[in-house]
């Protein structure tokens, strides 16, 4: 299946000026939520479980949540203490909220914003490769992680 996002330059997509303008629209969301994509997220969850990572009673962050696929899978199968979704685009978060209103959402820039909270489990899938200062973004992910927590990117 061809990648529906090949027309998006990740460096342009992730600038402050363009993030909301070319954010995840409902049309792009439908193109994104195909079976291959959903299987990827199910595989991520399976990988965690196979490696002894439990989601029950944990504070979980999906950093760069986009359409909120992981949140849906986690909330259906587990009972996390909290489930928070960060994304660079406020417009994308509005779409994610319309899909899953029960989660907590926050516009957050992994390079420029300062962490306020910490989490037991952080997912940051298909995000870091789009950030020009990936090293700083990884440092922020570590700062967002509770002692003994996990980051999956």
């Amino acid at each position: 299946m061809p990648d529906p996002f090949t027309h998006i330059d990740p460096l342009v997509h992730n600038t402050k000026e363009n993030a909301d303008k070319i954010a995840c629209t409902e049309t792009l969301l439908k193109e994104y939520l195909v079976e291959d994509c959903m299987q990827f997220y199910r595989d991520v969850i399976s990988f965690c479980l196979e490696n002894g990572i439990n989601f029950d009673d944990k504070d979980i962050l999906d950093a760069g949540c986009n359409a909120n696929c992981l949140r849906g899978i986690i909330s259906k199968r587990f009972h996390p203490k909290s489930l928070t979704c960060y994304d660079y685009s406020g417009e994308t978060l509005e779409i994610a909220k319309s899909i899953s209103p029960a989660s907590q959402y926050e516009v957050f820039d992994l390079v420029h914003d300062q962490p306020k909270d910490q989490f037991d489990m952080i997912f940051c899938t298909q995000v870091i490769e789009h950030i020009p200062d990936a090293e700083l973004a990884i440092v922020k992910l570590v700062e967002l992680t509770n002692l003994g927590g996990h980051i999956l990117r």
Side-chain angles (χ1 to χ4, degrees):
M1 168 181 262
D3 183 351
F5 297 100
T6 56
H7 62 283
I8 296 175
D9 177 344
L11 295 179
V12 171
H13 175 75
N14 286 295
T15 62
K16 283 277 188 201
E17 298 78 24
N18 291 310
D20 287 335
K21 184 171 76 174
I22 58 174
C24 187
T25 64
E26 289 185 43
T27 301
L28 282 176
L29 179 58
K30 288 176 184 173
E31 292 175 2
Y32 182 72
L33 293 177
V34 295
E35 181 55 30
D36 288 348
C37 178
M38 296 308 294
Q39 185 59 50
F40 167 77
Y41 289 111
R42 287 190 292 271
D43 291 345
V44 166
I45 298 298
S46 294
F47 173 83
C48 291
L49 295 173
E50 290 165 7
N51 286 281
I53 299 171
N54 182 357
F55 304 114
D56 291 326
D57 201 34
K58 302 284 192 250
D59 291 311
I60 299 173
L61 171 65
D62 186 356
C65 68
N66 194 342
N68 211 357
C69 302
L70 274 168
R71 182 238 148 315
I73 294 169
I74 291 170
S75 65
K76 287 178 185 170
R77 292 183 56 191
F78 306 97
H79 303 285
K81 186 188 304 181
S82 70
L83 190 48
T84 303
C85 302
Y86 286 175
D87 201 276
Y88 190 75
S89 167
E91 293 295 322
T92 293
L93 286 179
E94 289 302 316
I95 293 170
K97 284 181 199 177
S98 73
I99 295 169
S100 303
S103 292
Q104 300 169 11
Y105 297 89
E106 185 176 335
V107 174
F108 192 87
D109 181 330
L110 281 175
V111 174
H112 297 104
D113 291 342
Q114 294 304 313
K116 298 178 283 194
D117 300 312
Q118 288 190 308
F119 301 89
D120 302 307
M121 180 69 203
I122 297 177
F123 293 97
C124 189
T125 60
Q126 302 177 0
V127 173
I128 297 295
E129 62 270 24
H130 299 285
I131 299 175
D133 195 345
E135 285 185 37
L136 184 54
I138 291 170
V139 167
K140 293 288 174 74
L141 290 172
V142 170
E143 291 173 2
L144 285 161
T145 308
N146 282 327
L147 186 63
H150 304 277
I151 301 170
L152 191 136
R153 66 159 212 90

